[in-house]
Amino acid sequence: GAGVSQSPSNKVTEKGKDVELRCDPISGHTALYWYRQSLGQGLEFLIYFQGNSAPDKSGLPSDRFSAERTGGSVSTLTIQRTQQEDSAVYLCASSLPTANYGYTFGSGTRLTVV
Amino acid sequence: AQSVTQLGSHVSVSEGALVLLRCNYSSSVPPYLFWYVQYPNQGLQLLLKYTSAATLVKGINGFEAEFKKSETSFHLTKPSAHMSDAAEYFCAVSPPYGNNRLAFGKGNQVVVIP
């Protein structure tokens, strides 16, 4: 597609429920990244994909968080048993194989856990 | 590991005045450097990037940044602030090879005063 698409744009969920966030990167971008942005906290790296592999998942905050990428394209970030501290904007970005080109970001998914 | 420092989370500037946002980096190798802008409720958009060519880099919306190796800096400037420049600005660094992800600073929230 023309840009990075994220869905849903907003998600309100009850504490303890599971959520799935979707990212559709730019066609041809082999690298895909997930970040979390909390109020006043800046950008927190979560996980990086190159193709379908995740060589760097060091930023996932707990085992409740997981992500996968299929067909070298769409990625899904899953949060199990959501907690209130998971409330944040989740940003996805994609790039050509190396970060030197810079990222293209999606508009994000705003997750609110009540 | 690469990192960037952005001081002063909030920056106020009068309309028509100079915009100056400071970014200092730490890197063991000559880095690639980026500035991103985030408007309310949007993802991050690339303003400009330094990739070891010209040290003075011009970006969109009248912004420019100068790479100074001796000062390990990549400050962002715009000669005359416009109301539409109110946004959050992030500096980021990447090595030219290897670990593929960008390291972001904590951001500067710019407020433009009429």
Side-chain angles (χ1 to χ4, degrees), chain B residues 11 19 48 78 80 82 94 102:
Chain B
V11 175
V19 179
L48 49 79
K78 180 174 180 178
S80 176
H82 191 272
S94 165
L102 300 183

Side-chain angles (χ1 to χ4, degrees), chain B residues 55-67:
Chain B
T55 57
L56 182 63
V57 182
K58 294 186 183 298
I60 61 172
N61 302 337
F63 284 92
E64 63 182 37
E66 186 172 9
F67 172 72

Side-chain angles (χ1 to χ4, degrees), chain A residues 37-51:
Chain A
Q37 188 175 28
S38 305
L39 197 61
Q41 296 298 312
L43 286 161
E44 178 187 5
F45 168 77
L46 298 178
I47 188 169
Y48 150 59
F49 287 93
Q50 187 65 256

Side-chain angles (χ1 to χ4, degrees), chain A residues 6-108:
Chain A
Q6 291 189 248
S7 60
S9 55
N10 280 282
K11 176 72 175 179
V12 180
T13 190
E14 292 181 353
K15 179 181 172 182
K17 295 275 175 82
D18 298 352
V19 295
E20 285 189 352
L21 311 180
R22 177 189 167 103
C23 174
D24 199 342
I26 289 174
S27 178
H29 279 193
T30 58
L32 186 147
Y33 315 82
W34 284 98
Y35 284 80
R36 180 167 71 174
Q37 188 175 28
S38 305
L39 197 61
Q41 296 298 312
L43 286 161
E44 178 187 5
F45 168 77
L46 298 178
I47 188 169
Y48 150 59
F49 287 93
Q50 187 65 256
N52 293 336
S53 301
D56 188 352
K57 53 180 84 170
S58 61
L60 295 176
S62 75
D63 59 8
R64 295 186 297 105
F65 287 73
S66 63
E68 65 173 11
R69 189 179 185 194
T70 55
S73 181
V74 173
S75 176
T76 303
L77 177 69
T78 302
I79 309 173
Q80 295 178 309
R81 306 181 302 282
T82 51
Q83 304 295 313
Q84 287 188 327
E85 61 263 28
D86 299 334
S87 296
V89 175
Y90 289 81
L91 291 167
C92 175
S94 69
S95 77
L96 291 168
T98 58
N100 310 342
Y101 296 92
Y103 297 172
T104 301
F105 280 88
S107 297

